[in-house]
Amino acid sequence: MATSKEIVVSGIRSTGYLHLGNYFGAIRNYIRMQETFNCYFFVADWHSLTTHPDPKDLRANVFRVLAENIASGLDPEKVALYVQSDVPEIAELYLLLNMMAYKGELEKVPTFKDKVRLQPENVNAGLLTYPVLMSADILIHRAVKVPVGKDQEQHLEMARNYAQRFNKRYGELFPEPVAFNFGDDLIKIPSLDGTGKMSKSENQMATLYLADTDDLIRNKLKKAKSDSGPAEPGAPMSDAVTNLFLLMEQVSTPDVIKHFRDTYDNQTIRYGDMKKQLGDDMVNFIAPIREKALALQNDPAYLNRIMKEGAEKARESAAQTLQQARKLIGIHYY
């Protein structure tokens, strides 16, 4: 992976099923980035251990996330696609960064507060130091760009803080990573029930998963929230109808979108027809990804090879960073 291209790092937790929000909010950017940058994309299995998944589920989830990313367009020949736990250097950097992380700042992280509220019986140290491990994931490759959404910006700010602290205390090693998404506004795919964005775990009937069957996709869209129609020509759209059009803009042709916008403006729109068209177009979009991902999951030898090759690329980069970090700190005795 030695190259003069700028380094990009991003990961996705190995929990739940990838959905349309993951695709348009992250994976689509990954596919663009692989053509321009030196990319390290990983499955964050250590992060998922904070919620204690069943070992059988963890293995299946890792394989599925890898398969769905490849099926969506990630090319393992162009990027380092690996599993977090296959790169032990990350764990050592995580240990070193923990020496510069403080209990007070970690307790103030909004996502930690949320986890404490949601799982009060499982407030483990991994939850508290989650941003430190995330920082290690990024800094181990000395990334300069990280594709993250709004909800992860504070974690990225903490990665910059740890880079600054290390550089000031021991000497320059880490660049300060910045959020990057080609200058575009990140698309947040709305939940079909109008209660926020799509989620891996919340209200599965309001989320379109990349593994959904054709019939399930159509059924979910058929039940998607809409309204009683515009009260007058050119009336502002309700949030629910705006969401339907946002989905249509991602998967339908311009002439289809124009047709339904025109019928909305002249008050002749039939939401049943719109949802049927959207269902057909969504099936045409998701089905090829689903089928390819299933085929990949049925070829564990291929996925094992991809994981091993990705780990080799990632460990080559990580080992260089860790060797320099140890030397600067003084853990360099012979």
Side-chain angles (χ1 to χ4, degrees), residues 138-199:
I138 297 166
L139 298 179
I140 195 68
H141 299 300
R142 285 172 278 179
V144 295
K145 289 181 167 63
V146 183
V148 294
K150 286 282 184 185
D151 57 341
Q152 297 293 335
E153 284 185 350
Q154 185 172 12
H155 288 167
L156 188 56
E157 180 64 32
M158 295 183 80
R160 287 194 289 271
N161 289 342
Y162 297 135
Q164 290 170 2
R165 289 176 196 175
F166 186 99
N167 293 344
K168 185 175 181 180
R169 186 173 300 176
Y170 299 116
E172 287 292 323
L173 176 59
F174 297 114
E176 295 177 25
V178 296
F180 174 74
N181 288 289
F182 291 104
D184 303 334
D185 289 333
L186 287 180
I187 296 174
K188 291 188 177 181
I189 299 298
S191 171
L192 299 179
D193 62 4
T195 59
K197 63 181 183 178
M198 288 190 181
S199 166

Side-chain angles (χ1 to χ4, degrees), residues 67-82:
E68 289 179 337
N69 273 276
I70 296 169
S72 296
L74 269 192
D75 185 347
E77 299 299 320
K78 295 180 179 178
V79 305
L81 183 59
Y82 60 98

Side-chain angles (χ1 to χ4, degrees), residues 93-94 96-107 109 128-139 154-171 173-177:
L93 183 58
Y94 170 49
L96 298 176
L97 295 179
N98 267 317
M99 306 306 176
M100 295 181 289
Y102 300 102
K103 175 174 172 284
E105 68 183 354
L106 293 171
E107 288 176 334
V109 175
L128 181 66
T129 60
Y130 192 105
V132 187
L133 180 54
M134 184 177 285
S135 298
D137 292 324
I138 297 166
L139 298 179
Q154 185 172 12
H155 288 167
L156 188 56
E157 180 64 32
M158 295 183 80
R160 287 194 289 271
N161 289 342
Y162 297 135
Q164 290 170 2
R165 289 176 196 175
F166 186 99
N167 293 344
K168 185 175 181 180
R169 186 173 300 176
Y170 299 116
L173 176 59
F174 297 114
E176 295 177 25

Side-chain angles (χ1 to χ4, degrees), residues 44-81:
D45 56 337
W46 276 335
H47 283 294
S48 70
L49 295 181
T50 58
T51 52
H52 304 160
D54 183 283
K56 298 189 298 297
D57 294 338
L58 181 62
R59 176 182 172 81
N61 287 346
V62 167
F63 274 66
R64 188 181 64 253
V65 170
L66 279 170
E68 289 179 337
N69 273 276
I70 296 169
S72 296
L74 269 192
D75 185 347
E77 299 299 320
K78 295 180 179 178
V79 305
L81 183 59

Side-chain angles (χ1 to χ4, degrees), residues 194-210:
T195 59
K197 63 181 183 178
M198 288 190 181
S199 166
K200 280 187 176 183
S201 56
E202 297 175 17
N203 196 348
Q204 296 183 3
M205 283 303 293
T207 297
L208 292 168
Y209 297 97
L210 300 184

Side-chain angles (χ1 to χ4, degrees), residues 283-331:
V283 163
N284 290 336
F285 178 81
I286 290 179
I289 297 175
R290 180 190 67 229
E291 297 305 321
K292 185 173 182 180
L294 285 171
L296 290 171
Q297 289 174 78
N298 288 325
D299 189 356
Y302 170 78
L303 289 177
N304 280 328
R305 179 171 67 81
I306 293 303
M307 282 190 279
K308 289 177 182 177
E309 291 176 356
E312 288 173 4
K313 295 176 187 176
R315 291 200 69 183
E316 180 182 354
S317 164
Q320 294 173 10
T321 300
L322 193 58
Q323 182 181 31
Q324 293 187 54
R326 290 170 62 106
K327 188 172 183 179
L328 287 168
I329 291 171
I331 308 173

